[in-house]
Amino acid sequence: MPIVVQKYGGTSVADPDRIKAVADRIAAGHAAGNQLVVVVSAMGDTTDELLDLASRVSVSPPQRELDMLLTAGERISMALLAMALSERGVPAVSYTGSQAGILTDSTHGEARITRITGERVRESLEEGKVVIVAGFQGVDPESKEITTLGRGGSDATAVALAAALGADSVEIYTDVEGVFTADPRIVADARKLDEVPYDEMLELSAGGAGVLMTRSVEFGRRFDVPINVRSSFSEDVGTWVREASMEQAIVSGIAHDRSEAKVTVNRVPDRPGVAAALFGPLARAGVNVDMIVQNVSHAGTTDISFTVPRANVDDAERIAKQVSDGIGAGSVDVDPDIAKVSVVGAGMKSQPGVAARMFETLAEAGINIEMISTSAIRISCVVRADQIEEAVRVLHDAFDPPVITEEPAP
Ligand code: ADP
Ligand code: ASP
Ligand code: MG
């Protein structure tokens, strides 16, 4: 019997009626003869509400306790879904990440899945049960502590489980009909893509397209598990994220990200070793630096700006100040009011002029570019946060409909 792994996101299990609708869909899949493993997220905005509760009792909650709290969200939805299935006469059992054998490293709040044992999942499947697994969580086998995988982590749970169980593909049910050319909440005429290659989806996700967590796409690519993103509210076939087919768009999508802040260290002495002195301690403190810009030096000093997740900005500021004092640099400024817009497309590898077109389009809209970074298939610009929606819209207008290159890029 084929194993099918499905994942339902927060909106798809937001209230009892939605849970019952999901149970109906699962019951149909079970009746069709599939072995079903279903990963669930916490109901609606539960994770945000739990984070808010934590912030009301503590300014800096211990990471371990935060994980104990947040994992409760997925336990609620998994148990309710198992109950709704029993009610329909479908045998079902729910497991926490730990019970399902999802082993992780020890990094609370952003743990990486290291291995999936999955014994109880397989046993229950053999008994003919639908297995519900709490998304976004695992256990560190050394310390026996419960961990979470980072925001959106249920996607990673689902793709990793599909790989571990040898499923042919994984179905990600969400509140939109697939992956679009831009966030459909911002660009009303964004188009649904039928297919997105793994490498483009990785860049879109890393650029802020929250429809799939970046790490889930990495798992999909590494273990060759095609990902079908689709709506739990309709029967639309959705989008397939998988190996590239023959045609490659020069630009396939626009992503945006409001989750970062910019840190600037002023008057950094322009001599060998200062960048290492700054970014070494940041890396050791686990601060994920995204974009970096170093200005032209004037009178032996230069300014260095970089972006970090807003969640880490206090750590980044503290470390930057320590380093600045140590190397004789000037003040450290933090700017939270920035956002990043990215243009992604594998075809741009073989097509010059995409960057120029992007910069012209932003300039015509009166949007100033503060930082730029590129990869082979992506160009990203940092702009003022209050101009990000306009930036996404004008770029979408400029690059859609897509131009297809005739040959896949080498
Ligand atoms: P879930 O709770 O199901 O995991 P998410 O909120 O994490 O859902 O992801 C779905 C949301 O991702 C959509 O509602 C949409 O606003 C947003 N999104 C951002 N970029 C895109 C894109 N390119 N295509 C589709 N959705 C996108
Ligand atoms: N509930 C978690 C979150 O809101 C995980 C997920 O939904 O994927 O981030
Ligand atoms: Mg999500």
Side-chain angles (χ1 to χ4, degrees), residues 203-270:
E203 295 280 15
L204 287 169
S205 294
V211 63
L212 276 180
M213 190 211 207
T214 312
R215 217 173 290 155
S216 72
V217 188
E218 279 168 5
F219 276 123
R221 180 167 70 172
R222 174 138 45 105
F223 299 105
D224 196 18
V225 181
I227 305 171
N228 183 205
V229 180
R230 53 193 299 168
S231 169
S232 66
F233 295 79
S234 80
E235 294 305 318
D236 193 279
V237 291
T239 300
W240 279 96
V241 178
R242 58 183 166 207
E243 239 4 287
S245 64
M246 290 306 282
E247 293 181 333
Q248 300 201 291
I250 291 172
V251 169
S252 53
I254 317 286
H256 71 283
D257 184 354
R258 302 178 221 247
S259 69
E260 295 185 345
K262 183 169 80 171
V263 180
T264 302
V265 186
N266 296 293
R267 296 186 306 285
V268 178
D270 197 6

Side-chain angles (χ1 to χ4, degrees), residues 1 33 49 62 134 191 209 216 241 264 280 288 309 311 341 358 378 385 390 392:
M1 264 202 281
E49 286 159 15
R191 280 179 308 109
S216 72
V241 178
T264 302
N288 220 334
V341 62
M358 179 179 192
R378 172 188 51 80
E390 177 70 3
V392 174

Side-chain angles (χ1 to χ4, degrees), residues 41-42 47 74 136 151-155:
S41 289
T47 306
E74 270 70 11
F136 167 65
R151 296 310 301 268
S154 301
D155 297 335

Side-chain angles (χ1 to χ4, degrees), residues 293-318:
V293 166
Q294 175 170 339
N295 285 334
V296 180
S297 137
H298 288 294
T301 69
T302 177
D303 301 339
I304 297 181
S305 294
F306 55 94
T307 62
V308 295
R310 223 168 273 170
N312 298 133
V313 76
D314 291 344
D315 284 344
E317 185 180 15
R318 181 176 43 76

Side-chain angles (χ1 to χ4, degrees), residues 7 9-11 173-176 178-180 182-185 209-211:
K7 175 252 169 177
T11 322
Y173 287 90
T174 182
D175 56 2
V176 286
V179 179
F180 284 69
D183 187 340
R185 283 177 213 277
V211 63

